Amino acid sequence: MESLERIKARAEEAVPGATIKIIPNASPANQPSLLIDSDHTLAVVQFLRNDAALRLDFCSNVTGVDWLDRTVTTKVKVKTLIDGEEKEIEQPQVENFPGYLETVYHLYSIALKHGPVVIRLRTADRADGVHLPSLTPVYRSAEFQEREIFDLYGIRFHGHPDLRRILMWDEFVDHPMRKDYREPDDYEYEPTPHDEVLERAKEHYAARPQLDGAENLAADEHG
Amino acid sequence: MSVGFHELAEAPPRAMSSRLEGELLEVSLGPQHPSTHGVFRMNVALDGEIVRKLKPVFGYLHRNHEQIGENTSYLGSMPYTDRLDYFCSMTNNWAYALSVEKLAGIEVPERAEYLRVILAELTRLQNHTSLLGFLLSDMGAWGTPLMYAFREREKILDLFESLSGSRMMCDYMRFGGCRVDAGADWMERAEKVADGFPRFLDEFEKLITSNEILLARTQEVGRISAELAVNAGLTGPILRACGVNYDLRKVDGYGIYPRFKFRVPLGDHGDCYDRLMMRALEMRESLGILQQAFAQIPAGPVMNPKVKIRAFKPPAGEAYGRIEGPKGELGFYLISDGSANPYRYRVRPPSFINLTVLEDMCLGHTVADVMVILGSIDIVMGEVDR
């Protein structure tokens, strides 16, 4: 299979306007990945699937990853005037990296028997911007896996035919695979919550959805 | 209460139009039913006996395996992988060990590689045998074929027990090798089991291949095209039953599989009969691999001494490793941030993804066929729900 740099260059040429970035992978596994911008994802993925030299017809694995907000503190030397004398002192500089959610797709080619080409999509943030295009119209194998990511990470996939919770029950509110998830207060030790435990547990359960529930769930605000 | 089928405006074209004709009966099949192979539910819309719509519902066994994996050390997840597909703990162990080995660049001693192949092929034998038994049981051949299959499975489980200490939850492999070595007497017993297996297979195949009822119940039932199978990410015997030549033992050549001579059986029609026969044929090939492995296995250590499996901290990075499990491609995707726990621990469960096209397989068939189709997919809920 051709190198990732070449794939990136050809994909950018085939889909005008697409920005693709190579994310290196330091591990000995040597599986770097392509970060694709969400506006051109479908076109790029269709190129990867239909291109005669790539033919990535098999989407094996779809994963969600949660990256929390990070703060990195570095010490920077700054010149300031102290008592009329210019001195160089060290000051901590705080840099904030906003968190985001990510989906990772492992694509292989059954026709040409090569792979994987790993592609990643990133959301704008972890709150309101958790929207990504769905790859289910291109790869049916993403259907249940994207539903699982919606369920456990809360990423809304546009263009998914049937975006509902799949492993948790429909009335459940949180997204349990998020790194800042806190389990319900009735978790494990309280089989039938009552009194104040019930009160605390209630915030994790939504009202039963009205009709079929998918629309309500997709529109809820709990992210 | 309505069963709740959801129709969104932008749905892509499906095998069936969503227009409903006449009066449809909505029925919940399962979750408590022996032929749903665990706690698995299907919401079906029936037109008389014919299935017009089918939505699988699962999660009854969900315990957020991946979350637990992220809160445990790398070694701590190893026994927990046994519980995914509890029929095939050996192959689960191997897939996880392989991914960690990729992540940290660990070499595996030769004898351990051979032991892994032997145990994986024994696992394949017992998984496929019990599947055939269950499938016949689903079709109404109550009891006898399943008992025949379980009689053979017991012999293999006995081998697992004497090697690892447990019949089903083996926890046998480690990243960098295997936990204990197999003695000469174990090898002898394993060889004996493998030698006796073709006789059982002959008998069993004779029972199924010429049985008129079985042919009527499986041929042309649950057909699926090769294009859809590839697009829907089907793997394992189900994919090969559609005629797609994709076996990871050949394609990836992980472990030491390139050293063995074996063929990849391929189906033609992609129906239940092909899926069923694919298992029978694969068992013959597994027996061939076993014989070669028994003949070639060298002496030596079974564990890479350089690997510190306790307080194990792989370098930061990520890796996706996959093997050809008995049910399909079993993969583990790990992201390490350099600490003792994986930052992300993801299982690619073959049974879960193989269920994606269950609806496409079942539409237009009767309720009784749904059970046969589900049985031919070969699912284990421990892996589907995780």
Side-chain angles (χ1 to χ4, degrees), chain B residues 257-275:
Chain B
Y257 272 114
R259 294 187 201 176
F260 299 109
K261 276 204 181 80
F262 63 100
R263 294 172 299 171
V264 179
L266 291 180
D268 201 11
H269 299 87
D271 57 5
C272 283
Y273 184 74
D274 277 15
R275 292 200 271 273

Side-chain angles (χ1 to χ4, degrees), chain A residues 25-33 49 57-68 102 104 106 108-111 113-114 116 118 120 136-145 147-149 152-153 158-164 166-168 170 176-179 181 187 208 211-215, chain B residues 1-8 10-12 14 55-60 62 64 66-67 70 101-105 228 230-235 239 244-247 251-252 315-322 329 332-333 335 342-349 352-353 355-357 359-360 384-386:
Chain A
N25 178 3
S27 120
N30 191 24
Q31 291 173 340
S33 46
R49 194 187 66 167
D57 48 9
F58 170 46
C59 172
S60 163
N61 181 37
V62 187
T63 316
V65 191
D66 183 9
W67 299 97
L68 290 171
E102 185 176 61
V104 186
H106 288 82
Y108 287 86
S109 170
I110 286 185
K113 298 204 168 44
H114 61 218
V118 189
R120 323 176 88 92
T136 308
V138 187
Y139 299 111
R140 252 313 268 294
S141 54
E143 184 181 339
F144 279 11
Q145 303 189 71
R147 267 180 74 185
E148 187 187 322
I149 294 172
L152 303 181
Y153 283 93
H158 292 293
H160 192 286
D162 186 19
L163 197 63
R164 283 180 293 143
I166 191 165
L167 293 174
M168 307 302 283
D170 281 351
M177 278 301 284
R178 290 219 183 166
K179 289 282 179 188
Y181 170 75
Y187 177 67
R208 287 189 78 83
L211 292 162
D212 284 341
E215 296 82 356
Chain B
M1 190 189 129
S2 87
V3 259
F5 295 123
H6 310 289
E7 286 165 52
L8 298 181
E10 348 169 33
R14 298 292 288 260
K55 294 285 173 202
V57 180
F58 33 76
Y60 297 96
H62 180 54
N64 220 337
E66 296 178 2
Q67 174 84 279
E70 286 167 20
E101 282 154 12
K102 272 193 171 185
L103 185 68
L228 182 58
V230 170
N231 194 254
L234 299 192
T235 42
L239 177 69
V244 181
N245 187 353
Y246 197 69
D247 187 321
V251 176
D252 283 8
E318 60 174 61
Y320 177 63
R322 55 181 197 160
E329 173 185 331
F332 282 82
Y333 174 60
I335 299 182
Y343 186 81
R344 180 76 175 98
Y345 165 94
R346 151 88 180 162
V347 188
R348 190 247 186 229
F352 176 76
I353 295 160
L355 281 175
T356 309
V357 284
E359 183 177 19
D360 304 65
V384 174
D385 290 343
R386 281 161 295 138

Side-chain angles (χ1 to χ4, degrees), chain B residues 130-366:
Chain B
S130 25
L131 172 96
L132 292 180
F134 286 136
L135 191 53
L136 286 164
S137 193
D138 287 348
M139 273 183 252
W142 187 248
T144 313
L146 183 61
M147 287 303 120
Y148 280 11
F150 265 47
R151 184 189 64 202
E152 297 307 308
R153 177 171 176 257
E154 284 302 295
K155 293 176 187 166
I156 295 174
L157 291 191
D158 285 346
L159 286 175
F160 288 174
E161 187 183 15
S162 59
L163 185 60
S164 73
S166 180
R167 298 165 71 76
M168 290 172 81
M169 305 293 129
C170 295
D171 179 27
Y172 177 66
M173 288 169 204
R174 294 284 179 265
F175 19 96
C178 297
R179 185 154 53 90
V180 285
D181 198 357
D185 56 329
W186 189 88
M187 284 293 169
E188 214 170 278
R189 280 173 52 208
E191 256 176 275
K192 220 179 196 173
V193 169
D195 287 344
F197 214 85
R199 200 172 146 263
F200 156 74
L201 267 185
D202 290 341
E203 183 190 53
F204 209 67
E205 274 185 37
K206 212 157 90 190
L207 186 71
I208 57 177
T209 45
S210 55
N211 186 314
E212 215 171 295
I213 301 174
L214 184 129
L215 299 185
R217 292 293 304 275
T218 54
Q219 287 189 341
E220 298 297 316
V221 170
R223 268 189 89 148
I224 191 160
S225 71
E227 292 76 40
L228 182 58
V230 170
N231 194 254
L234 299 192
T235 42
I238 313 178
L239 177 69
R240 294 190 286 275
C242 304
V244 181
N245 187 353
Y246 197 69
D247 187 321
L248 298 184
R249 291 174 292 176
K250 291 274 190 203
V251 176
D252 283 8
Y254 60 91
I256 48 161
Y257 272 114
R259 294 187 201 176
F260 299 109
K261 276 204 181 80
F262 63 100
R263 294 172 299 171
V264 179
L266 291 180
D268 201 11
H269 299 87
D271 57 5
C272 283
Y273 184 74
D274 277 15
R275 292 200 271 273
L276 195 148
M277 286 312 291
M278 213 46 50
R279 268 84 182 208
L281 295 171
E282 271 189 16
M283 281 197 273
R284 303 264 180 199
E285 299 302 319
S286 290
L287 287 167
I289 297 175
L290 277 175
Q291 274 177 352
Q292 296 169 51
F294 286 134
Q296 293 171 17
I297 185 166
V302 294
M303 191 66 205
N304 185 340
K306 284 185 202 145
V307 186
K308 300 274 173 287
I309 55 169
R310 282 167 209 286
F312 177 76
K313 284 184 185 173
E318 60 174 61
Y320 177 63
R322 55 181 197 160
I323 69 162
E324 182 72 34
K327 292 179 168 63
E329 173 185 331
L330 175 65
F332 282 82
Y333 174 60
L334 301 165
I335 299 182
S336 160
D337 57 357
S339 68
N341 297 357
Y343 186 81
R344 180 76 175 98
Y345 165 94
R346 151 88 180 162
V347 188
R348 190 247 186 229
S351 328
F352 176 76
I353 295 160
N354 288 351
L355 281 175
T356 309
V357 284
L358 179 65
E359 183 177 19
D360 304 65
M361 288 180 183
C362 291
L363 292 180
H365 291 295
T366 60

Side-chain angles (χ1 to χ4, degrees), chain B residues 41-58:
Chain B
R41 186 152 71 95
M42 287 165 281
N43 280 338
V44 293
L46 296 177
D47 177 6
E49 275 280 299
I50 308 295
V51 176
R52 290 297 179 207
K53 212 164 205 188
L54 183 147
K55 294 285 173 202
V57 180
F58 33 76

